[in-house]
Amino acid sequence: MAVYDFAINVRTQYLPEQSKPERTLHVFTYTITIKNTGSVPAQLISRHWTITDGNGKTQEVRGLGVVGHQPLLKPGEEFEYTSGTQLETLQGSMVGEYFFVAEDGHRFEVNIPEFVLSLPHALH
């Protein structure tokens, strides 16, 4: 029986050298590792993000692939990429999903668990 499953791991970083707090501009990067933990090769086709800043302001981002790639991952393979976002506040969060098509034609979504963007040591 085919298993369609991916593990998502996220690491975040605040970029003080690109941020401009006096202009309420805070830049964060996130590095995501996507691993095919299922039994069927599948290709990442698109992504959808909901980004929320510390004031509750949200923005939606949709697009094909990730950083210009639509990786095809066989069982056990992983793909890592780094991207970024800007917030008006010192912290916020992101949550989303990836849309995949398996080699057998099955289409499915993989949820990206919510993660926090914040300055180091800003959360207690």
Side-chain angles (χ1 to χ4, degrees):
M1 184 168 140
V3 176
Y4 308 97
D5 194 34
F6 280 77
I8 310 294
N9 183 49
V10 182
R11 296 185 319 272
T12 64
Q13 184 176 3
Y14 179 70
L15 299 181
E17 66 280 1
Q18 293 183 26
S19 298
K20 304 216 177 337
E22 69 281 0
R23 289 196 225 151
T24 63
L25 174 68
H26 303 281
V27 179
F28 297 88
T29 63
Y30 50 91
T31 300
I32 298 185
T33 304
I34 304 164
K35 182 174 184 177
N36 187 341
T37 54
S39 64
V40 180
Q43 185 173 18
L44 190 157
I45 301 300
S46 63
R47 70 195 183 285
H48 169 238
W49 289 110
T50 301
I51 305 167
T52 306
D53 73 14
N55 295 326
K57 178 180 167 187
T58 63
Q59 58 179 314
E60 302 267 332
V61 177
R62 295 178 189 274
L64 291 175
V66 289
V67 295
H69 297 277
Q70 292 181 312
L72 173 63
L73 299 172
K74 295 178 181 157
E77 288 184 338
E78 59 183 46
F79 179 80
E80 183 176 276
Y81 73 96
T82 300
S83 190
T85 192
Q86 300 176 355
L87 299 178
E88 292 178 0
T89 59
L90 287 172
Q91 71 181 54
S93 65
M94 292 179 63
V95 65
E97 56 266 342
Y98 294 126
F99 177 72
F100 286 87
V101 175
E103 274 192 346
D104 63 9
H106 180 74
R107 299 166 183 267
F108 61 100
E109 286 184 356
V110 173
N111 290 326
I112 306 162
E114 184 173 26
F115 58 92
V116 173
L117 302 165
S118 71
L119 285 171
H121 313 297
L123 299 176
H124 299 286

